Amino acid sequence: MKKAILMLIAAVIAVTPLMAGNEKEATGASLYAASDDKPAAKEKKAKKGPWDRKKYFSLGYSNQTLSPEYGNGFESKFGVSLVNGRNIFLHKKPIAKMLKFAIDLGSDINYAQYKDLEGDYDLPESEPGYEDEEDMDFGMHHIDIGLHVGPSISINPVDHLKLSVYFRFVPSYSMLILNSELYQSFTPLFTYGGEISYKVIGIGIEGRSGNAKYTDMLAQIEGAESMKIKYHTSALRFYISFRF
């Protein structure tokens, strides 16, 4: 009996290291498999197709003109634009495996600083009554803040290369600073253009135009009557875009 018990204990002692070794091998294999799965999962998550980059952000240079109903126009000496938005595709599968229609939604901010006026708007320095206004000369600035919506067409001819054309309606709040005077208006603007992009980065060009009647903000605050002045905005914008 004692011999049988001793033999059983010896067998258990002999088998235990083998079982531990098998467990380590199994654990190592599972860890190896898990480590193999993680890079694959990361790679799968990071990889995006040409139609997956629906969000866009663009930074542009604007060459802008503001033309009054009568007299000389304002020519910009500096202009910048910030546009942010998203493509909402109207169908899941591309037509002919390369074309998609979408609606673009987003925001549009445009700033322009104008050159000093010449000709009809010049005031003689010696003319009485304008000394105070000259002391309060803030320059000539124009800012539009709005939302944009409109159709777009995108073509993916090869790889991640995309060509896009679009037309957008941009209802905007506009503010003008003309030396010492401050004007505001609601301006229905339109932008139209095209873009070429590859993966994240792209470049584009677009036109921009709209008409509005501006009122004197200070006169409105004081409760006085203010004559509305009609201006036409036209611009050409060049931009670099980023898609995510």
Side-chain angles (χ1 to χ4, degrees), residues 220-235:
Q220 286 182 325
I221 293 172
E222 294 172 358
E225 292 186 4
S226 173
M227 182 178 68
K228 293 186 177 182
I229 305 173
K230 186 176 180 180
Y231 287 100
H232 173 73
T233 301
S234 61

Side-chain angles (χ1 to χ4, degrees), residues 88-163:
I88 301 176
F89 291 113
L90 301 179
H91 47 98
K92 188 173 182 180
K93 293 184 178 181
I95 299 171
K97 298 183 179 180
M98 60 184 300
L99 186 146
K100 273 193 174 186
F101 293 89
I103 297 295
D104 295 348
L105 293 174
S107 59
D108 188 310
I109 300 174
N110 191 89
Y111 165 78
Q113 182 181 6
Y114 295 110
K115 301 175 184 177
D116 293 335
L117 291 173
E118 296 179 356
D120 296 349
Y121 289 92
D122 277 357
L123 298 175
E125 293 184 4
S126 60
E127 187 172 342
Y130 291 100
E131 289 80 2
D132 294 339
E133 290 189 11
E134 288 181 353
D135 293 339
M136 295 178 62
D137 188 350
F138 298 110
M140 301 184 183
H141 310 271
H142 186 186
I143 186 168
D144 299 308
I145 303 174
L147 302 175
H148 71 252
V149 59
S152 66
I153 303 173
S154 299
I155 301 174
N156 172 225
V158 62
D159 197 24
H160 289 265
L161 181 68
K162 279 177 48 177
L163 307 172

